[in-house]
Amino acid sequence: MNRKSFTRTAHNIYRDDRGAHFKHDSTSEFLSMSARDLIIGEAELDDDEEADESIDEDTGEVRRKVNGVNGVNGVNGHLSDSSEEDEDDDDEEAARAVREGFIVDEEEEDFEARERRRQERKKRRREERDEEEAGLDEEDLDLIGEANPEFERRIQAEPKLKRLKRGHKEDRDVRPRGVDDIFDDEEEEDRNPGRSRNRQVDDEFADFIEEDFSGGEGGGQEDDDIAVRRRPARNIIGAKEAAGLDEIALEDMKEVFGDGLEYDWALEAQDAADLREQGQADPDDLEGLEKGIELKDVFEPSQLVDRMLTDEDQLIRMTDEPERFQIARKPYADVEFTENDKRDEAVWISALMLPKKRLDADLKEPFQRAVAKVLEFMNTDNCEVPFIFQHRKDYLIHAKKTLVPPDPKKPETSEYIMSAEKVLAQSDLWDIFENDLKFRALIEKRQALQRTYDNLQGMSDGFRDPVIEETLSEAVTMEELQDIQDYIHFQHSARLGDMALLNGPGTNGTQRRPGASRMIFDRIRTGKVYGLVRAFGITADAFAQNLKPGNRRQYTEDPAERPDDMADSEAILDPPDYSSGAQCLRAAKAMFAEEIFMSPRMRKFMRQAYFMNALIDCHRTEKGLRKVDEQHPFYEIKYLRNQLLNDIAQDPARFLRMLKAEEEGLIEVRVRMENRSGFTRSLYKDLESDNFSEIADAWNRERREALDMALLKLEKMMAKGLKEAMRTECENQVVKVCRNEYGKRLDQAPYKPKGMQLGTVPRVLALSNGTGIFGRDAVCWAWVEEDGRVLENGKFTDLNLGDPERGTEDGTDVKALVELIERRKPDVIGISGFSAETRKLYKQIEDIVERKGLRCADFEDEDGKPTSDKLDVIIVNDEVARLYQTSDRANMEHPGFAPLTKYCVGLAKYVQNPMAEYASLGRDIVSITFDPNQRYVPQEKLIKQLETAMVDMVNLCGVDINEAVSDPSQANLLPYICGLGPRKAAQLIKVINLNGGEVTTRAELVSDPEANKLAAIGPRVWNNCASFLYISFDSSDPDMDYLDNTRVHPEDYDIGRKMAADALELDEEDIEAEVNENGPGAVVRKLIRDEAQDKVNDLILEEYAEQLEKNFNQRKRATLETIRAELQQPYEELRRNFTLLSTDEIFTMFTGETRDSLCDGMIVPVSIKKVADDYIEAKMDCGIEGTVPALAISNRADVSAKQLFSVHQTVQAKVTYLNRKHLTANFSLREDELQRPYRKEIDRIRDEWDEEQERKDKESMMQKNDVSGRTQRVIKHPLFRPFNATQAEEYLGSQARGDLVIRPSSKGVNHLAVTWKVSDNIYQHIDVLELDKSHQLSSGTTLKVGGRYNYSDLDELIVNHVKAMAKKVDEMMLHEKYQNLSKAEVGKIKVLSFVYIAIALTIVFPERWLTTYTEANPKRSVYNFCIDPKHAGYFYLCFKAGQHAQVQHWSVKVVPQAFELQKNMYPDMRALCNGFKLIFTNMQNGKRR
C-alpha cells in the first residue's frame, strides 16, 4: 500500500459527493507526497502540463524550459515514481491474499492468528521495499544506457491519477563535493540560482570561506539530488552507508528524527482504504468492519466547511426547503408561532414599513393585508421572494373596481373600470423576509422571558409581578425585551439564583452571574435600609407610568419625618454595613435611582424622548486637531453641531463617516437631548409631592437627587443605543443604494447586434493597451464568438493611420486589423484599459473604422432585404475584467494567455452577458465600488444585499437547465435560482448527470420512476424553482412540453392549455381527441405548429380571472397576462438594453478620479513634458494631459518659460479647465494663482458648524508653530509635506517600502529632514544640512548628509542616497539568507533529513532556531540576516558556528550603494556573505594562534 493510494481514496470520496477534484492541504496530502517533493519544495501537478512553461506577460508567448538529456525530464520524458511499483505490489498481494483465503469471517479467525498474519504482511512489505532499494534505480539504468547504447529501458506507464512531481532543474556542471560545503551558497548560486542548499562540514569553521573563492569543485548537491530521487527507505537502519554517518551520528539522528516507523499507521489505514475501494473488509480493522471511512477522517474541518461538505451542509442539501430559508432561519428553528403571533407579525411588520412607503390613507389596510399574505406564502408555503413576485403578483396589487355611471340609453347595462395600485414591490418582499427573521428573534426572546417568569411563579405560590406581566405583553422591540430581562435580573436575582440551584443553570435562557453591585442592591432590598426607599413615597414603576400621557397620575406621599431623621432611626440603621444615617440615606438614594434606571417603562419613555429630541455633535480630539486638516475627508464633520435625526436620515453616509472618524480617534460623537433642563424639570413635577412643608421640601430634594443619578445612567444608555440604532439604519440605507446600483448593472441585456432581437449574444472583438503608452506599447486583442469561445488572440504594435496628402502610409498592423474585422465580421468592437491613454486608442480605432469603411455583419432591414451598418466601437466597463484577468477561472480557461489578453477576454464576455460575469465573481463582488461610502459598511451585510439583487435578476431571466449542466458560466447562475443555493445547485447538477446529463421535462426533476430518473430536488424546492429553469423546446421530441420553455409555472399549465384551446376555438371533443393522440401539451403544440400565437391577444382575460377567483378562490389576473405573453414569445428578454458608459463613468474608469477628487481650481502636481516659449505641456499623475498657456506660466513677463522650467520637472499647478470627455486640462503656474488654495464650498445651515471653535483651533496651531520656533518653510517639490516626524510616519504607514517625504527640520531653517520607509513600522529620519543658500528660506545648492555625502539638489539626494539605500534594503530582504523576523523572533526553519521518509517542518521557539539547527546538524554552521527594528537602516547578522558555539549577532548598516560590516564596505550580498566568512575565519585563526 502506498501513499498515493491513500490520497486516491480521499479523492474518490470527494468525487462521490461533488463530482470533481480539488486540491487539498490535509494530512492525506502530506502523506501522498514523497520525501523528495518536500525537500526540494518545487512540486507541481503532473497531468496539468507535459513540460515546464513560462509566459511572457507582455506578449503572451509561451516559452518552454528543457531539462536533463534531450530536453526532457527523467527517462523518455517521464519521471520515475516508485509508487507505481508499490501499486503493483499491493495488487499482487491482494490477489494472493484472496487466493489463499486470507480474508475470512471474523468469527472463524481468532485475534492471535489475525495479528500474526498482519505482522507477517508488514514484514514481507518491508523486505520487498528493501529489495527495491538494493535494486537498480533510475540513475543506474541511465549509466547502463550510456555505456551500452543497445540497452533499452522499460517505459513506465503514466499514472492514471494526478500526482506531485519535482520541479525541473536547470542544467548545471556537476562536481564531487564533500561535507565541508554547507555554507558555500554564493558559488552555487551562480551555477543554479534560486535554489536553497544543505551541505555538510568537516569541522565547525572549515565551511565558512574556502568554497566561496574556489571554482569548479563540488558534488555534494548532486549526491543529495540522487538521494532524493531514490525512494526513501521505511527504516533508517541500512541508510547510514548512503549518508556517510557513523553509529554515533546515526543515534543522534534517531533521537531528532525518529526511526522512520512513525507513519506505519498511515500505511495500515491505506491498506484498509484500498480494501474498501475493492468492496472487501480488512480483517485487521475491527472498527472499519462496522463503519466506512468518512470525509471528516480525511480532510481538515476548515476544508469541509469551505467545500460545503459538512454534516450540516448535507442536511441543508437534502432537506426539502429553500436553501436560503434554511440558512437564515437556522437560529430560530425552535420558535413556534401561534395564530396570534402570525397576526401580530403582520401588524408589526406593516408598522415598520409603512412610514417609508408613504402610501395614501386608503391603501394602508390593503398594504397590511398584502403583508399578511406574503408572510403566509413564506412561512406556510415556503415560497421564496422570486416565486411570490412572479406567481403571486396579484396579492401584491390592490385592485379596485369602480362603477361607471350607466348610459341613459341603456340603463340595464352597467360597466366597471378596474384600477390597480401596486402596494408591494420586489424589494419590499426582501424587507418583509428580513423583518420576519427579526420578528422570529423577538418571539424567541419573549418566549424565553415568559418561561423564566413561569418558572419563578412555579417556585412559590402567589408570586406575581405586574410590571413583568404588563410590559412583556406590550413589548414590540428587542430593546424593550432586554429592558424586561434586566429588570427581572435586578428585581428577582435571588429567586433566579434559587431556581438555578434547583433546576440547573440551563433551565432558562436568561440566567446570569450576579455582579458585586447587584449583590449590594439585594442586601439593601432585604435589609432595613429598604424602608427608607419606600419612604420616597412612590415606586419607580408608578413614577414611569406618570410620565406616559393619558395615564392617571399616582401621587407621591410624604413621610412624617425628615429624610435625615428617618435615616438615623433604629428602624433604618443596619450595622455593620449601614451604621450611620448618612450611609443609609446614600444607599437608599442609590437604590431608588437604580430602580428608576431598571424600570422597563422608564427606559421606554426615555428612549422615545431621546429619539424625538436628540441632537448629535462632533467634537474633535487632540489627534483630530493635528491630523484632520482642510484637505482631509473628515474635515466636513470636524466641527459639526446640532444634527437632528432627520438630518442624519437625509445623509446616512455622513453619520457613518462620523462613527468611522470616532473609531480612528479623530472626533468624539456626542448625543444630547435638546432642552435637557426643561425636560428634567418636567420629570421633577411627576416625581415630587404636591405638599408645602419643610419635610416635603427635604424629601423632594432627595427625590430630585435620586432622579439625577438615574438620568445620568439612562442618558448614557440611551446615547449608546441611539448611536447603534442609527448606525444600523444608516448602514441599511447605504447597502440599499449599493443594491440599487448593482441592480442597474445587472439589468442590461447583452449588447444588441444590429438587426437582431434583444437578447441575441454578439460576436465581440476586444482590444486594450492596458497601462501602456499610446503609440509605443502593444495593443492586445481577443476575438470571442457568441458561444464564449476565444478563437483568436494576438497583439498589434502599429495602428497609426497614414496621411495620403503627406504621403505617409498606414501602420504595419492596420491592414491586419482590417483583414481580421472583414474576415470575422464582429458585431461590436469593445475597448478599455487602465489609463487615460486608452481614450486615444478608442479614437484611433474609431478613425480606422471610419476611414476604411468597416461594417458589421449583414442583417435584414424592415423590408427583408440584406443590409449592413457601420461597425460600432464602444468603451466597455472593465470592473469585472480587471478581476477576471488574475482570477483562477481565467487561468483555468486560458492558461497560456497573457494577463492583458485575459483582460480582453473579460471585456468581451462582459459585452456578451454582464449578468453572468457578475455572477462568476462570487464573494469578490465586494471588490467593485457601487457607492463610495460602502467601505463604511460590514462586508457581510453588503454581500447579503447584493445577493438579493442577483437573485431577482437571475430569476427574471431564467436559466436553461441543460446549458447549466454543460456550461460553467451558466452553472454559476444556478445558486441564485429561487429555492436553490450553492449546495442544492451542486446537488441538482450531480443528479442530472447521474440521470444521463439531460433534462427533457421539468417534472422529471422530482423523479421519474418509469424512466429510472432519480429525484434531483424535493417537491417544495421544485415548486419554487420549476418556472425559472426552462428547457428549450424541440418540436421533434414528443415528450417535450412547450410550456417547459416558458415562465409559466407547472401549477398553471392547465390554464395555459385552456387559453390555447380557446384561442384555437376548439371544443371539448377536439381537445380530448388532441390530448389522447399527442399528450397533455398537444393543444399548445398545435397553437405553435399553426403559428396562431397572436390569437391569444383576442382573449378577454378579465373573465378568466373572475372565474378562477370565483370557482377556485385564486387571484390570477397578472398570471394570465404572463401566460399570454409567454405563449407568444417564451422567456422574452426583459432586461434593458446594454448600457453605454457616461462621460463621468469613463473619466473615473480611466483616471481613478471623481468630481469630488478632481475639479477646476484644485492645485495638483504635474510633470512637465515639453517647454516652449509660449506654452508648456504637462501631465498629471492620473494620466490627464494639458497645456499651460503663455499668460498662465508666470507673473514675470520678462522671464521665458525655458528659464523657469525644464522637461521632467515636477511642479505644482492649478487646474483652470478640465475636459472630462477628452481627458485634457488647462493649467496655471502663476504664483498668485497657487497662493489661493482650493476650498470646497459647503452649504451649511445656521448653527450647524462651530465656527468659533474652528477659529480658536487655527489660532492655537499657529501659536504652537510660533512657540516651536520653526518657520513654516515651503519647498517647491512634489514630495515636500509640512509634517513633523510623527505625521510623516503616519503618512508613510500605508505607502510602499522605499517611499519618502521631505519635511521641515526641527534643527532650524538651515536643515531639512527626509523620512523614508525602511519596512513596516520602521522609518529612518535623515538630517540634511543646507549650504550655499541665497537667503534664509531658500533651498541650499549644496546638501550634505552625515558629513560624508554631498548632493546638488533634492532630486539627486533622493535618487543617489535614499533610493540607493532602499535598493540595498530590497536586496537584503530578497536574499535567501534573510528571515523576515526580528532578531528575537528568527524562528522558522525546515529541518531536513535526506535519509528519512518524512520531513519535519519545525517552528522553533524564538532565538532557538540556530541552536536547533546545529543540534540536528552537529557538524554544520549556520547564519542568517534579520532586520533591526530599533535602529532604522540596520540589520542583524545572526550566526552559530557549530553545535557548541554561542549564538552571535553582528550589525550590518545599509549605506548608499553598499553594506557596512565591521567598518568594511561590501557592494552586494554575495560580497557581504563572503566578507563575513573571511572576517570570522581570520578571527578564529587568530584565537588558535
Side-chain angles (χ1 to χ4, degrees), residues 1200-1216:
S1200 68
K1202 292 183 178 180
Q1203 291 177 296
L1204 295 173
F1205 304 101
S1206 59
V1207 176
H1208 304 308
Q1209 183 181 359
T1210 300
V1211 296
Q1212 297 291 107
K1214 174 173 280 192
V1215 180
T1216 57

Side-chain angles (χ1 to χ4, degrees), residues 15 161 275 305 347 373 398 488 512 608 629 648 664 727 748 797-798 875 899 967 1039 1063 1289 1458 1469 1473:
R15 288 177 65 90
L161 298 176
L275 290 173
V305 171
V347 175
K373 201 65 181 176
H398 175 58
I488 292 174
R512 295 177 182 171
Q608 292 173 347
D629 57 14
I648 291 175
E664 296 179 2
R727 178 201 293 271
Q748 49 179 337
T797 56
D798 186 2
I875 296 177
D967 185 355
D1039 295 330
E1289 292 181 2
M1469 286 299 298
C1473 295

